[in-house]
Amino acid sequence: MKNLKVDFYFAKARKWQKEIKKLRIIVLDCQLTEELKWGKPFYTFQNNNVAVIWSFKEHCALGFCKGALLQDAEGILVKPGENTQAVRRIPFTAVREIAEMEAILKRYLYEAIEIEKAGLEVTYKKTCDFIIPEELKNRFDELPAFKTAFHALTPGRQRGYVLYFSAPKQSRTRESRVEKYLPLILEGKGLNDDYRSMRK
């Protein structure tokens, strides 16, 4: 059933409006609950996120929150980013593509529902599984309180910092990022907890 709170998302879309409306019909036909979360239409089963509809500049997409657990028999799932662990999505640029794949999409959606029924969870990498950049290690050695504060953060916040600090190719840039976020880490905050004032 359509959720009136979500209607605005489909109405305001400047691009891919026909495509995302078609995706909405397909997903709702699978008896999922439509909810507005983080400004996006999410589809849940027993309060667990199953799918999401996105509209991007280059394409729209149907995303699966635990897509990494899907069998993907058709080989159509795409990782949104290099370090994405759970989410997978299927991009589209035409209503025709979506219509042609309707049966497949429903099969994937029903499989995703079965994953929720079975209580399956994605096994996430631990922070220790990621390579800690030397620039961060050096500051740990120089400032033990900083190391203690970093390891007191939630695993998700630690991963976020490690990935962000590791991204630049130049050591100087990695070092600069560590220095910039050092005060935030000492306060026990994550990368995006103070986004507007810290990140430029």
Side-chain angles (χ1 to χ4, degrees):
M1 182 182 292
K2 288 184 179 180
N3 183 331
L4 296 179
K5 292 180 180 178
V6 183
D7 283 346
F8 87 94
Y9 180 85
F10 296 92
K12 76 178 177 79
R14 294 181 183 161
K15 211 173 178 187
W16 315 119
Q17 196 171 80
K18 290 179 181 177
E19 287 79 7
I20 61 176
K21 285 181 177 178
K22 178 64 175 174
L23 286 172
R24 185 187 197 188
I25 291 169
I26 292 171
V27 177
L28 288 174
D29 200 35
C30 294
Q31 308 305 310
L32 289 166
T33 301
E34 185 174 63
E35 298 182 35
L36 184 66
K37 296 186 178 185
W38 305 288
K40 302 286 186 291
F42 272 78
Y43 299 86
T44 65
F45 175 78
Q46 294 180 351
N47 297 318
N48 293 315
N49 295 333
V50 172
V52 56
I53 293 174
W54 283 304
S55 180
F56 300 104
K57 185 177 180 182
E58 302 297 329
H59 63 269
C60 64
L62 176 62
F64 292 86
C65 301
K66 294 182 182 176
L69 299 180
L70 292 172
Q71 293 182 17
D72 192 18
E74 304 292 329
I76 54 177
L77 295 177
V78 178
K79 288 176 71 170
E82 181 184 344
N83 297 305
T84 303
Q85 297 186 61
V87 177
R88 298 291 183 271
R89 68 184 180 205
I90 306 171
F92 297 101
T93 55
V95 175
R96 176 184 49 79
E97 294 175 332
I98 298 169
E100 289 173 355
M101 290 182 63
E102 182 168 348
I104 294 171
L105 295 179
K106 285 184 176 179
R107 194 164 72 240
Y108 276 50
L109 285 162
Y110 286 127
E111 183 185 347
I113 291 170
E114 289 304 314
I115 285 170
E116 290 305 326
K117 285 181 179 178
L120 301 180
E121 296 292 341
V122 174
T123 302
Y124 291 94
K125 285 184 180 179
K126 296 179 181 178
T127 305
C128 60
D129 294 331
F130 292 94
I131 298 173
I132 306 293
E134 287 300 318
E135 295 76 10
L136 182 57
K137 287 180 182 177
N138 291 341
R139 287 305 271 143
F140 284 165
D141 293 340
E142 295 165 1
L143 191 60
F146 174 52
K147 182 177 182 178
T148 301
F150 182 85
H151 289 293
L153 295 172
T154 62
R157 285 175 171 160
Q158 290 181 36
R159 283 194 299 272
Y161 278 123
V162 169
L163 293 173
Y164 183 64
F165 294 156
S166 301
K169 293 181 179 179
Q170 294 188 4
S171 176
R172 184 166 33 179
T173 307
R174 292 193 296 271
E175 196 173 276
S176 173
R177 286 189 176 186
V178 171
E179 289 304 312
K180 185 175 183 179
Y181 283 89
L182 192 151
L184 207 61
I185 292 169
L186 288 172
E187 291 178 26
K189 294 182 178 178
L191 183 65
N192 298 312
D193 289 355
D194 200 11
Y195 187 91
R196 289 181 182 174
S197 62
M198 290 292 295
R199 202 169 186 180
K200 295 177 182 179

